[in-house]
Amino acid sequence: MTKRRVVITGMGVVSPFGVGSETLWENVVNGKSGVSRIENMGDMTGHSVLIAGEIKESTFNPEDYFEPKEAKRLDKFLQYSLVAAREAVADSGIKESGIDPFRFGVIVGSAAGGFNTIQKGYEAMVTKGPTKCSPFTIPMLICDMGAGKISIEVGAKGINKAVVTACATAAHCIGDAFRSIQYGDADAIIAGGSESTICTIGLGAFTAAKTLSKRNDEPTKASRPYDKDRDGFVMAEGAGILILEELEHAKKRGAKIYAEIIGYGQTGDAYDVVAPHPEGLSAAKAMELALADANIKPTDVQYINTHGTSTHLGDIAETMAIAKVFGDKTQNPNLRISSTKSETGHMLGASGAAESVICIKSIQNDIVPPTINLENLDEEVANLNYVANKAEKTPVNIALTNSFGFGGHNAVLIYKKYN
């Protein structure tokens, strides 16, 4: 059968910079950092990591979006997913289009779900006894509830599921939505991811795994992909949501079209639960599969928004994989890459969606956002154009984004300028 074309007709974001896809883009393209000292956890005694890409109460007040009682019954990751979805849905106009609700789906996941709820529930049971656990605990913490709550709010009765693949979650959600629409299972799908793990258990566990930066005295310089002085990633929180829609369906209702999604590749490392394969072999294969799915050549891609978390092994492996597929900058001088986690921190299961928004904005504006804090390029990374510290104005017709998760999960998405 002929695969149907799929376009993006709406975008929504909650990030460390605040609410809105344009807010994310303006800060990222201008090289601003959303990393700061943690404020919302209260007493930080005993923690060696004191920084994160935290969503501050000054930029996100739940009661601006939910009734007080409802806000108390929503974990932060659910609040973020709903607010981002509302922006994307309103942006697209899909809810008012008369779409068949059984052709309208939701695929939204989370890597960790309600960590804040788990912590609060445990503390309540330890201090007050097991009968004091809230009856809303389970629906507040399970990873699929973002999809469930969004579908209820918008009346989407089609495909309804959540993918959980660590930091590849949102990219897999978007890729699966792309496939579902291509093959006729839906006409439009709300897709993306949400995350909020900045709490004692989340921060403590990632610190114990020795994955986080401890550059507490310089928070805005802590996330530094490809820099030889990097010392780990910076945990962040937020949500990213896209509206994917079949092209003819979008055209028929006069929807604005931001970009077309043309490729999706996915592989597994089968190597280690945390570390990537040192040569990035499966990551390279995922990029090759996405290029083949899009029916394009490596030289057709102008921009890669990398996974680029600012970890020693991860940055090296990914750049080796990119060089293997696309060639280094002497072989492919028109290819730019950058890690916008240098600005946002790592939004875990939401990152693939937020970075998809950045790719789409890059295509729209013909600008490649920078990798900030890149002061001393690590000699071990591949010889690529990392767009250090300042955005570049350059034609961007096709952009690719990588998302790799603990467990060896790899997802690659490719977007193209719509014309």
Side-chain angles (χ1 to χ4, degrees), residues 75-116:
D75 188 273
K76 286 184 177 181
F77 93 98
L78 294 175
Q79 294 175 5
Y80 301 154
S81 63
L82 282 163
V83 171
R86 288 173 184 175
E87 181 193 1
V89 169
D91 184 35
S92 71
I94 189 71
K95 191 175 178 181
E96 295 77 34
S97 69
I99 187 172
D100 179 349
F102 290 101
R103 303 284 299 166
F104 187 21
V106 184
I107 306 179
V108 173
S110 175
F115 261 32
N116 288 274

Side-chain angles (χ1 to χ4, degrees), residues 41 47 115-116 118-119 197-207:
M41 281 178 55
H47 286 283
F115 261 32
N116 288 274
I118 292 170
Q119 181 173 305
T197 58
I198 303 173
C199 58
T200 298
I201 187 173
L203 189 65
F206 276 111
T207 302

